[in-house]
């Protein structure tokens, strides 16, 4: 049993927090004072600089059901079997793209490159550049994120950066000319401009695949197809928006350079999680998939935030740069010692992420036990059991096109709503999943955010709504939709929402949820009797173990 302790280096006192797993959203959670001194379990600001949260008796991988020494080679074989079972689970559940899906994505990127090339030549013509220069001018598309790293899922979107020359502006040429060219294409649907985000972009579907397309303008007359985004020549005199847009591509390239010989398993969406996973891979370069997953959760369950996470780059000095003090969870971009990932983390989301790291570690800390099942990691979060009350955020518009612009704008302002709720109510759980009420006919999207248990039920949601409406109506250039905030009880949740099943409209922040009612057959180890390494569907090919265990 693992406990959490506070190690005070000044007097060697050891204060043990008496919980095997801390659930910060449980109504039974005890946050009282621990003697002989206060213990900051999650917020590092509650701990003095000389104190660090450390695990007492760190968990080790054991096979408790066997009473004989385990040969290391047998352990390695079991570890490999367990890794294969996770890969098979991802394949069985459609999380790994098929060859046809991969070909479709490559075709989409190729078509986008052709459109962008035609666009930049049109812009050059509109600028009345010489014919010779128009013929030579070029723009390109670079992919990044999970797709750029080659670790995307079958339902993942594509993060693609449009790189253009200095005469192609964002406001006019990107958001007007290129937008109209894309909108006229039969393959493109649901196209929206998100102009006021930290990284402005166009979001659309191309042949059914969701594309996020930001823009960066380089101080060159032509952008080469194989442009090196780490070359200082292309980075000179960049405006702030272009610099931010380039950050994701540059971070991806650095990650691949720093981990050249390792097949990276398990990257989740977003540059933040990509760097967290890469950090674990650097520290365990020979680790199996089984080991990397366990060490990921173990590492960040005990990480002493706000100590920043950073990749080891032999080309950069190890120290001498100011630390990041503005973020609760600082993560340094590998492409520059001065830059950190932009983050909207608040107290609520900080606690939520830490809780999930702890929950993941509690699930995976003994991967070699016979009854372990990978499905435990994919179980939907039990929102309706964890929270008695929810803030319902209802967004609607007169048609689907206006709804897309309206929802994108409101979501870009969600941080101010979270901060207001934290101010008047304490912590909340801003569930990113978008739901649709099947009983409502108008175009709409609904969010349900859990409110901290144990706090007063008296929440002046009208005042919160009034304050938030001022924020979202300030600067919106389109046709504003309607926004309504309500506090609802768990018993009042619409059955169509099914918060615990995750069956709402999927967003890039959500995994595909698995069907737990499907009959499965256990697969046993070839090396140890009665040791289950995975499961297969009752009607599936049992040649390989599924990711079930």
């Amino acid at each position: 049993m693992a406990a959490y302790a506070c190690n005070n280096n000044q007097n060697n006192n050891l204060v043990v927090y008496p919980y095997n797993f801390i659930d910060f959203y449980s109504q039974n959670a005890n946050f009282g004072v621990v003697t002989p001194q206060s213990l900051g379990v999650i917020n590092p600001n509650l701990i003095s600089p000389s104190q660090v949260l450390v695990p007492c008796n760190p968990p080790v991988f054991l096979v408790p059901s066997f009473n004989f020494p385990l040969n290391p080679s047998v352990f390695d074989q079991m570890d490999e079997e367990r890794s294969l079972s996770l890969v098979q689970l991802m394949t069985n559940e459609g999380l790994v793209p098929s060859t046809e899906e991969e070909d479709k994505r490559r075709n989409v990127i190729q078509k986008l490159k052709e459109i962008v090339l035609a666009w930049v030549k049109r812009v050059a013509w509109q600028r009345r550049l010489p014919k010779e220069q128009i013929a030579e001018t070029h723009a390109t598309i670079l992919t990044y994120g999970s797709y750029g790293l080659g670790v995307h899922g079958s339902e993942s979107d594509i993060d693609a950066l449009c790189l253009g020359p200095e005469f192609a502006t964002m406001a006019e040429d990107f958001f007007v000319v290129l937008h109209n060219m894309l909108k006229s294409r039969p393959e493109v649907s649901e196209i929206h401009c998100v102009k006021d985000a930290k990284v402005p972009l166009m979001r659309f579907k191309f042949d059914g695949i969701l594309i996020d397309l930001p823009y960066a303008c380089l101080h060159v007359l032509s952008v080469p197809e194989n442009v090196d985004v780490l070359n200082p020549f292309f980075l000179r005199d960049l405006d702030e928006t272009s610099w931010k847009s380039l950050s994701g591509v540059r971070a991806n390239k650095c990650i691949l350079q720093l981990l050249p010989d390792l097949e990276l398993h398990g990257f989740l969406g977003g540059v933040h999680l990509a760097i967290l996973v890469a950090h674990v891979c650097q520290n365990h370069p020979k680790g199996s998939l089984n080991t990397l997953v366990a060490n990921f959760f173990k590492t960040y369950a005990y990480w002493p935030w706000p100590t920043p996470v950073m990749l080891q780059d032999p080309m950069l000095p190890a120290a001498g740069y100011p630390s990041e003090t503005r973020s609760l969870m600082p993560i340094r971009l590998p492409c520059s010692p001065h830059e950190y990932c932009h983050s909207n983390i608040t107290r609520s989301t900080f606690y939520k992420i830490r809780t999930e790291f702890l929950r993941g570690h509690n699930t995976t800390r003994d991967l070699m036990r016979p009854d372990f099942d990978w499905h435990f990691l994919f179980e939907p979060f039990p929102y309706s059991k964890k929270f008695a009350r929810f803030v319902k955020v209802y967004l609607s518009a007169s048609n689907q096109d206006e709804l897309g612009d309206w929802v994108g704008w409101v979501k870009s302002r969600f941080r101010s709503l979270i901060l207001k709720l934290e101010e008047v109510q304490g912590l909340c759980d801003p569930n990113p999943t978008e739901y649709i009420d099947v009983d409502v006919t108008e175009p709409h999207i609904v969010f349900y955010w859990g409110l901290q248990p144990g706090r007063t039920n008296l929440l002046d949601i009208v005042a919160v709504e009034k304050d938030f409406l001022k924020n979202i109506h300030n600067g919106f250039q389109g046709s504003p939709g309607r926004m309504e905030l309500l506090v609802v009880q768990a018993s009042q949740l619409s059955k169509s929402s099914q918060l615990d099943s995750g069956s709402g409209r999927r967003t890039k922040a959500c995994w595909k949820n698995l069907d737990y009612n499907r009959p499965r057959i256990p697969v046993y180890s070839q090396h140890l009797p009665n040791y289950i390494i995975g499961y297969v569907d009752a009607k599936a090919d049992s040649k390989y173990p599924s990711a079930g265990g």
Side-chain angles (χ1 to χ4, degrees):
M1 172 176 173
Y4 297 88
C6 181
N7 186 6
N8 188 322
N9 295 327
Q10 293 180 342
N11 53 26
N12 294 323
N13 290 335
L14 192 65
V15 182
V16 178
Y17 194 80
Y19 290 100
N20 180 38
F21 172 65
I22 307 171
D23 185 349
F24 295 94
Y25 290 91
S26 170
Q27 299 187 33
N28 299 320
N30 183 354
F31 292 100
V33 176
V34 182
T35 58
Q37 64 189 67
S38 298
L39 174 62
V41 180
I42 282 294
N43 191 342
N45 296 322
L46 301 180
I47 308 174
S48 68
S50 62
Q51 299 173 333
V52 178
L53 287 177
V54 297
C56 289
N57 301 321
V60 295
F61 293 155
L62 299 175
V63 184
S65 60
F66 303 106
N67 297 319
F68 52 85
L70 191 60
N71 189 302
S73 64
V74 174
F75 182 91
D76 291 341
Q77 290 289 337
M78 294 166 59
D79 183 52
E80 181 180 356
E81 289 175 339
R82 188 73 87 195
S83 298
L84 289 173
S85 73
L86 178 54
V87 173
Q88 193 62 37
L89 169 65
M90 297 170 66
T91 302
N92 291 349
E93 300 299 337
L95 299 176
V96 178
S98 65
T99 302
E100 293 76 14
E101 290 172 327
E102 289 294 80
D103 290 340
K104 183 177 180 180
R105 280 180 164 80
R106 280 191 289 268
N107 290 334
V108 166
I109 295 301
Q110 183 57 39
K111 289 181 180 179
L112 277 177
K113 288 184 176 181
E114 294 171 0
I115 294 172
V116 164
L117 180 58
W119 162 74
V120 77
K121 291 186 181 296
R122 176 181 296 185
V123 173
W125 176 81
Q126 292 173 345
R127 294 289 187 273
R128 299 184 177 181
L129 298 180
K131 290 183 179 180
E132 298 79 9
Q133 189 171 330
I134 294 176
E136 295 296 328
T137 194
H138 200 277
T140 192
I141 292 287
L142 298 179
T143 59
Y144 63 104
S146 61
Y147 183 78
L149 291 167
V151 288
H152 53 289
S154 60
E155 297 183 0
S156 299
D157 61 357
I158 295 178
D159 293 305
L161 174 66
C162 176
L163 278 177
E166 58 186 358
F167 58 80
T169 66
M170 174 178 287
E172 180 179 342
D173 300 315
F174 179 74
F175 278 124
V176 178
V177 180
L178 182 56
H179 173 269
N180 290 336
M181 290 178 66
L182 288 168
K183 192 173 184 179
S184 67
R185 299 278 299 213
E187 309 99 319
V188 175
S189 62
E190 301 179 29
I191 184 168
H192 305 289
C193 297
V194 186
K195 299 180 181 179
D196 294 288
K198 285 186 175 181
V199 178
L201 53 82
M202 280 191 284
R203 177 169 293 156
F204 53 91
K205 287 185 177 180
F206 199 111
D207 280 340
I209 297 176
L210 182 62
I211 308 290
D212 278 355
L213 186 69
Y215 178 66
C217 177
L218 304 183
H219 283 281
V220 293
L221 292 176
S222 180
V223 180
E225 175 74 20
N226 59 345
V227 56
D228 182 2
V229 293
L230 299 181
N231 189 330
F233 172 78
F234 294 106
L235 303 178
R236 55 195 171 89
D237 300 325
L238 285 182
D239 61 84
E240 183 179 0
T241 300
S242 294
W243 184 266
K244 290 179 180 179
S245 298
L246 274 166
S247 294
V249 177
R250 296 174 66 235
N252 262 40
K253 188 165 186 177
C254 285
I255 289 172
L256 293 175
Q257 287 183 352
L258 294 173
L259 302 172
D261 300 320
L262 182 65
E263 181 182 358
L264 300 181
H265 297 285
F267 271 96
L268 307 178
V271 67
H272 303 83
L273 290 176
I275 295 173
L276 294 185
V277 174
H279 180 268
V280 172
C281 291
Q282 270 198 331
N283 290 330
H284 304 277
K286 301 299 183 182
S288 66
L289 175 58
N290 186 54
T291 301
L292 290 175
V293 171
N295 278 293
F296 174 85
F297 288 112
K298 179 181 178 180
T299 297
Y300 299 113
Y302 301 139
W303 192 264
W305 304 104
T307 301
V309 176
M310 59 186 72
L311 299 183
Q312 303 165 17
D313 188 345
M315 302 301 294
L316 295 175
Y321 294 98
S323 61
E324 171 64 41
T325 59
R326 296 168 296 175
S327 174
L328 292 168
M329 306 183 81
I331 301 171
R332 198 174 78 179
L333 287 168
C335 45
S336 171
H338 303 278
E339 289 188 273
Y340 289 80
C341 300
H342 296 287
S343 172
N344 286 323
I345 290 178
T346 70
R347 290 189 303 120
S348 292
T349 52
F350 175 67
Y351 293 158
K352 174 68 174 182
I353 294 170
R354 287 298 308 276
T355 302
E356 290 303 291
F357 283 150
L358 287 167
R359 190 161 71 104
H361 173 57
N362 191 59
T363 301
T364 61
R365 64 185 181 184
D366 189 5
L367 291 173
M368 302 308 293
R369 71 178 188 266
D371 63 339
F372 176 79
D373 189 334
W374 280 115
H375 283 77
F376 296 154
L377 281 180
F378 297 90
E379 290 180 350
F381 186 79
Y383 280 101
S384 60
K385 296 179 181 178
K386 291 294 184 180
F387 301 106
R389 297 179 304 137
F390 295 83
V391 167
K392 178 181 179 180
V393 184
Y394 180 89
L395 304 174
S396 62
S398 58
N399 58 64
Q400 286 293 340
D401 285 339
E402 291 183 358
L403 178 65
D405 291 336
W406 178 239
V407 171
W409 173 262
V410 175
K411 287 170 66 175
S412 71
R413 299 295 190 270
F414 266 172
R415 187 174 190 272
S416 66
L417 177 57
I418 297 173
L419 292 174
K420 185 64 176 180
L421 288 171
E422 289 176 354
E423 176 186 333
V424 301
Q425 181 66 20
L427 304 183
C428 71
D429 187 338
N431 178 11
T433 308
E434 300 174 359
Y435 299 95
I436 296 176
D437 191 336
V438 295
D439 298 323
V440 177
T441 57
E442 67 176 342
H444 72 283
I445 289 293
V446 183
F447 296 88
Y448 293 98
W449 293 358
L451 291 174
Q452 181 179 358
R455 296 295 291 258
T456 174
N457 291 330
L458 300 176
L459 172 58
D460 188 356
I461 198 64
V462 175
V464 174
E465 178 182 300
K466 184 178 180 180
D467 182 80
F468 187 51
L469 280 172
K470 290 181 181 178
N471 183 292
I472 60 178
H473 283 303
N474 182 24
F476 184 61
Q477 299 177 356
S479 177
R482 188 165 67 92
M483 194 278 296
E484 183 180 8
L485 296 183
L486 296 171
V487 175
V488 298
Q489 303 296 319
S491 58
Q492 298 174 299
L493 293 175
S494 169
K495 292 183 179 180
S496 62
S497 298
Q498 299 185 41
L499 265 62
D500 294 346
S501 69
S503 61
R505 175 177 174 179
R506 292 193 188 106
T507 66
K508 63 187 297 183
C510 301
W511 278 92
K512 176 179 179 180
N513 290 294
L514 312 181
D515 183 0
Y516 297 96
N517 296 319
R518 189 170 57 202
R520 294 179 293 143
I521 300 173
V523 176
Y524 294 92
S525 172
Q526 302 175 12
H527 306 280
L528 289 172
N530 303 317
Y531 186 88
I532 299 175
I533 61 167
Y535 296 85
V536 295
D537 295 342
K539 298 180 180 180
D541 182 2
S542 60
K543 180 179 180 181
Y544 300 102
S546 79

